[in-house]
Structure formats: C-alpha cells, structure tokens
Amino acid sequence: MSEVSKKIDHSLMWPGVIVTGIIGLLLSLFPESGRAVVDTLFAILTHNFKWLFLMFGLFCVLFLVWLGLSRWGNIKLGAPDDTPEFSTYTWAAMIFCAGIGIAIVYWAFIEPVYYLNSGMLHVDPDTQKGLIGELAGMYGQFHWGITPWAIYALPTFPIAYAIHVKKIPALRLSAACRGIIGNRADGPLGKLIDIVVIFAMIGGIGTSLGLAVPLGTALISEITGLPPSFSLQIIVLIVWTALFTVTVWAGLKKGIARLADLNTYIAYFLLLYVFIIGPTTFILNNWCNSLGLMFSDFFKLSLWTDPITNGGFPEGWTVFYWAWWVAYAPMVGLFVARISKGRTIRQVVFGELVFGSLGCWIFFAIWGGYAINLQTSGALDVYTILKESGWSNNVTIVAILNAMPGGKYIFIPVFTILCSIFLATTLNSAAYTLSSQVTINLSGDEEPPRWNRTLWGIILGLLALGLLSTGALKAVQLSSIVVALPLIPVLLLMVFSLMKWLKEDYGEILKTNVQALPPEKIKPAV
Ligand code: NM2
C-alpha cells in the first residue's frame, strides 16, 4: 500500500492533537495560573486515588505470577508450529530497550538522594541515618523492579493473544478487549478505548520530555559554559525536535535502530565505568542488602498510603511512578506482543518480569549506590547541594557526575550523548506508535505516513514546552497521572477479555491435558 492511500482515522487523531496542542499552548502562555491548576489537580488526583494505583500495581504482580504458574502458562502465543523469532537474549534486550529510556538515566543518580532525607516509612533521617541509607537503596529497587514491569507486562498478553492466536488484524487495544465487548470494539466504545490509549501515550511521553529537556540543558551548559536558562532549554528542545523531525522525514528508520544499538553499548560502558571506579564493594553489598529489604517488605511497600500523616511520599513517588508506567504500558505492550510470537505465556511473564527488573536493578545498584556512597561516606554532601540549588535535580546530577574521576571530560560528555540518543529513540518510537494507532488497517510491517509521524513529533514537543514553562516538576508528573487513571479500567477490561478467551479456547483441553498445545483451530474472534 502506498503512503498516500493510507487513511487516517480522523476521529482518533484530532482529539489527541488538538487537546495536547491547546494544553501545551495554554501552559506556555500562562505558566503562573498553569502551576496553580497543576498543584490542585495533583493533590486531588493523587490523594483520592493513591489506593487505586497501589492496589492496581500489586494486582498486576499477583495476577501475572498466578497466570505464569497456572496451567494457562503452557499456552503458546501463536499457532502450534510458530517458533520464537528472536533468540532469548535479543528478545530480552529488545523488551528492555522498548520500555526504558532517559528516565532511568535521570532517576538512578538522583532518586536515592531524595530518599536519604525524605522521612519515608516514618523513619527519622536525623536520628536513624543507617536505616534511612539502607531504605534509600531499597526504594530504588522497589520503584524500578517487579511491580513496574508487571504493569508493563499486563497488556502484553491480551494483545499478543488477539494478534497471534485470534488473528485479529488490528494493532489497537480495543481489539484486545473483544473477548468481552465483542463487536462493540468497532463502535463508539472501541473508539473511546483507543482515544484513552492515545492520551495515555501522549501524557507518558510528556513526562519523559519534561524531565529530559532540563537535564540535557544542564549537561550542555556544563560542557559549553552557557548558563542553563529557560531560553537554552527552549533551544535544546527545538534542536532535538528538529533533529528528530528531519530524521523521521528522511525516513532514517535504520539509522534510528542503529543509534539504539549504539546506545546500549554506551550504557554498558557508563555502568562499568562507575562500577569500576567504585566503591565496587559498597555497590555490591548495598545492592544485596536492598534486595533483601525489598523482598521482605514487598507487601508493605506496595500498599503504603501513609493515611494518617499524609506526608506526600507515596503520592510523589510510588503513585507517580506507577502512573507513568501505566501510561507507557500500551506502547510497550504492543511492541512486546509483536516480538513474542511463538513463546508461551509462562515464558513471556517471567521473561518480562525477571529480565526487565534485573536491567533496572543494575542501573540503580551501580549509579544509585554511587550517589548514596557519596553522601554516607561524607565525600560529597549531595543532599545539601540538592536543597541549596532549590531542589534542582539537574544541578545535583551534574555535581554527582563531576565528583567522579574523569567526570568532567569523560563521563559527562558520553552521558550527554546517551541522553540525546535515548531521547531521540523514545520520541521516534512514540511518534511512530501514535501514528500507527491513528492509521486505518495498518498491518504489522507497514509504515504509517510520515507527515503524520512528524506532526506527532511536533505536538509532543509543544506539550514539553508547556510543561517546562510552568517550571514545576509536579506538572511533569501530573502529565502521566491524569492519563493513567482512565487507562486502568481499560487494562482491566483487557485482562477479563483474555481470561474469557483462554477459557473458551482451552478450558476443556486443559482439564484433560495439562501440557496442552494450542488447538488446531481456534474460533476466529471477529
Ligand atoms: N518509564 C520507564 O522516559 C523513559 O525513559 C520512558 C519511562 C515508564 C518510567 C519510560
């Protein structure tokens, strides 16, 4: 099919484009009132729904572990003779790279520094220094481990089952709800579901861009000596968006893929760098300890709402993170479903939970461990830097990086390249997924029209501009929280749909033959 003849589903595309454009513009024009609205909305949503986000996160873990271990785990995502397309290593690496970008680079260094003084779990940072230091390591492993990966994994199964077993030719989430909503997937209900998904993607990416641009600016200003002003942020954003737009326009899909590969090597290098310059032993001891604390307190951490003192920790961290992963879950789910044909449900459940968590844990163990050690060993008072810079994450990250041997001339420049490539690849896959969502009847290997991809890139840039204008981290966080809330019922609907399909297709077979292969012929869903 040629590019021109591909049709855009306007009723899906315009709500997202227009609303995002308007929000981006309003926030840039009225940053002061924008900040006030953001504060109120943030407080209302997180306070009223923190229980929901936390329970949903835990539900994802429990459901998937049950699914993977149960007899349903034997079911293959595909036809009986389908085999996996990729080796397990490549597959795991692809899953990790699809789900992880600039965010981990950003938070791994700075997140534990906040924890060192946060009063989390009512521990007093002044009198219980040892415990708070240990918890700082633990929380990183918790917030970037099993639960987030379970949130990512949840939509993978209904989508994979819909496309590989039911052979539904639509790469949309409404299609994966068919088990329950049937042909209403083609009507207004299906449309509503897909619009919710599009907003979720936009909101999640807004958070990523809102964090990445100031960090990129701080790094560039450190290298060039230019002051990290708002105008420099805008320049960075414009240059990044322009670079990205040109790449998309020129159709350099291969180029982006190669950049993504290169980035994994850069990340290995930077992880090894810190691991070797050390404190190597502390990093290992602290990691081991953090995992122990996390596993032992897993349920408590998962459900801690701080209902009496309402100190804001669960809202500002756990709830925000869960929402952000929820917002990205459809995008990652669509991707992982596509690359997992021929694997069993069990393999995909545990592959995603184990490899995904392990990847994130290593970043936090090494970079986070390094930052904790700076503080607890007295080498650098990172917390005071954070406080005195007016809670500027970026100033603090740069200070942490500068404290390393070779920080200024080796680590920071390479780190800047890492951030830029991460940003370009995230933006690229986001624009790509968004435009394939609004293109009608796009099959697995077709490209959505490039004007459409470019338009999404620009709209996302505009949203980032608006979020940055408010200058508030809360605005950036809210972007994910608002969109994640309506997505939760959609994800649950998909789960019910999956279970209904599994029971219909395999319920009888699995009663007599636990190691069942897929039935020769599964009733088509449409
Ligand atoms: N998550 C992993 O910006 C990014 O790195 C994209 C963000 C959901 C926090 C993923």
Side-chain angles (χ1 to χ4, degrees):
M1 201 190 277
S2 81
E3 276 221 340
V4 198
S5 64
K6 266 177 273 168
K7 288 227 177 60
I8 297 294
D9 185 338
H10 293 282
S11 58
L12 261 187
M13 185 177 103
W14 293 108
V17 170
I18 293 172
V19 173
T20 313
I22 291 179
I23 292 180
L25 269 180
L26 282 180
L27 287 177
S28 336
L29 296 176
F30 309 105
E32 288 299 319
S33 12
R35 205 172 314 149
V37 176
V38 162
D39 277 346
T40 319
L41 212 56
F42 187 92
I44 295 177
L45 291 183
T46 55
H47 184 72
N48 289 314
F49 294 105
K50 60 183 162 182
W51 61 273
L52 177 68
F53 280 104
L54 297 181
M55 284 196 177
F56 177 72
L58 186 60
F59 164 77
C60 293
V61 178
L62 297 178
F63 172 75
L64 288 176
V65 171
W66 167 79
L67 184 72
L69 294 178
S70 72
R71 59 203 165 115
W72 310 113
N74 296 314
I75 294 169
K76 196 193 259 189
L77 298 168
D81 48 357
D82 279 340
T83 49
E85 267 175 82
F86 306 95
S87 74
T88 301
Y89 176 81
T90 312
W91 175 71
M94 283 163 85
I95 293 181
F96 189 75
C97 294
I100 296 299
I102 187 91
I104 200 155
V105 171
Y106 183 96
W107 289 109
F109 279 113
I110 190 75
E111 190 169 327
V113 179
Y114 274 96
Y115 296 160
L116 284 170
N117 254 277
S118 66
M120 59 200 158
L121 302 171
H122 306 300
V123 176
D124 178 7
D126 297 322
T127 57
Q128 294 176 283
K129 282 204 162 25
L131 181 55
I132 202 104
E134 290 188 21
L135 293 181
M138 174 203 70
Y139 251 111
Q141 303 288 308
F142 174 64
H143 281 154
W144 293 82
I146 302 168
T147 315
W149 278 96
I151 294 175
Y152 262 4
L154 195 76
T156 307
F157 299 93
I159 301 173
Y161 200 82
I163 57 181
H164 299 314
V165 183
K166 290 294 196 186
K167 308 275 180 218
I168 300 176
L171 288 170
R172 291 203 183 132
L173 264 63
S174 56
C177 296
R178 263 182 194 280
I180 296 284
I181 65 172
N183 287 342
R184 272 171 291 171
D186 302 321
L189 183 61
K191 186 109 337 160
L192 182 69
I193 290 175
D194 293 326
I195 290 181
V196 166
V197 170
I198 286 177
F199 275 109
M201 291 183 191
I202 297 173
I205 295 152
T207 306
S208 298
L209 288 179
L211 293 174
V213 173
L215 175 62
T217 311
L219 291 167
I220 286 169
S221 109
E222 178 67 16
I223 294 174
T224 58
L226 295 169
S229 57
F230 184 63
S231 359
L232 189 62
Q233 282 193 12
I234 297 190
I235 296 173
V236 168
L237 180 64
I238 292 176
V239 170
W240 263 341
T241 316
L243 265 182
F244 154 80
T245 312
V246 173
T247 349
V248 169
W249 192 254
L252 296 178
K253 199 177 155 206
K254 283 223 176 70
I256 288 273
R258 238 174 264 142
L259 270 184
D261 277 351
L262 172 69
N263 228 26
T264 53
Y265 295 113
I266 299 180
Y268 285 141
F269 169 73
L270 293 178
L271 282 171
L272 262 181
Y273 189 95
V274 178
F275 185 63
I276 291 168
I277 61 157
T280 313
T281 321
F282 173 79
I283 288 173
L284 292 171
N285 281 334
N286 193 48
W287 187 22
C288 170
N289 189 66
S290 304
L291 288 177
L293 290 178
M294 185 207 41
F295 281 118
S296 113
D297 273 349
F298 188 76
F299 284 94
K300 175 169 147 190
L301 299 173
S302 296
L303 299 176
W304 185 49
T305 54
D306 193 7
I308 311 293
T309 51
N310 285 305
F313 186 92
E315 290 88 334
W317 293 102
T318 318
V319 170
F320 155 57
Y321 274 138
W322 282 194
W324 196 7
W325 290 77
V326 166
Y328 266 91
M331 203 157 98
V332 178
L334 282 163
F335 178 77
V336 178
R338 270 216 306 254
I339 62 170
S340 300
K341 185 162 137 192
R343 292 179 186 269
T344 64
I345 289 186
R346 181 168 305 126
Q347 285 168 339
V348 181
V349 167
F350 293 106
E352 216 165 342
L353 294 191
V354 173
F355 294 127
S357 303
L358 210 60
C360 291
W361 284 344
I362 292 173
F363 273 89
F364 270 77
I366 300 182
W367 288 356
Y370 174 81
I372 293 175
N373 184 255
L374 281 181
Q375 184 78 41
T376 52
S377 70
L380 184 71
D381 188 354
V382 195
Y383 188 75
T384 304
I385 298 178
L386 179 63
K387 202 161 146 195
E388 285 177 359
S389 64
W391 307 105
S392 164
N393 293 346
N394 309 301
V395 170
T396 316
I397 294 175
V398 171
I400 294 174
L401 305 186
N402 264 326
M404 292 174 198
K408 192 166 175 61
Y409 296 106
I410 306 175
F411 201 93
I412 291 189
V414 182
F415 188 76
T416 310
I417 299 175
L418 180 80
C419 293
S420 314
I421 301 183
F422 259 148
L423 201 69
T425 48
T426 302
L427 204 54
N428 183 59
S429 47
Y432 199 87
T433 320
L434 279 167
S435 52
S436 46
Q437 287 294 298
V438 300
T439 310
I440 297 169
N441 285 339
L442 197 70
S443 73
D445 42 11
E446 277 175 328
E447 302 242 318
R450 64 181 168 182
W451 68 264
N452 198 267
R453 277 180 276 156
T454 316
L455 176 68
W456 281 113
I458 294 170
I459 285 292
L460 294 173
L462 193 62
L463 175 64
L465 182 68
L467 293 172
L468 291 174
S469 309
T470 65
L473 184 62
K474 274 206 177 119
V476 172
Q477 294 180 312
L478 188 65
S479 173
S480 280
I481 295 170
V482 172
V483 296
L485 210 51
L487 189 60
I488 290 181
V490 173
L491 294 176
L492 292 173
L493 194 60
M494 290 167 70
V495 170
F496 284 119
S497 178
L498 172 75
M499 290 318 297
K500 187 153 173 263
W501 273 335
L502 292 182
K503 281 198 189 112
E504 279 168 11
D505 297 341
Y506 286 92
E508 286 305 312
I509 304 170
L510 283 174
K511 267 189 200 142
T512 48
N513 176 7
V514 183
Q515 293 297 324
L517 279 171
E520 285 307 311
K521 225 182 177 150
I522 285 193
K523 284 180 264 76
V526 207

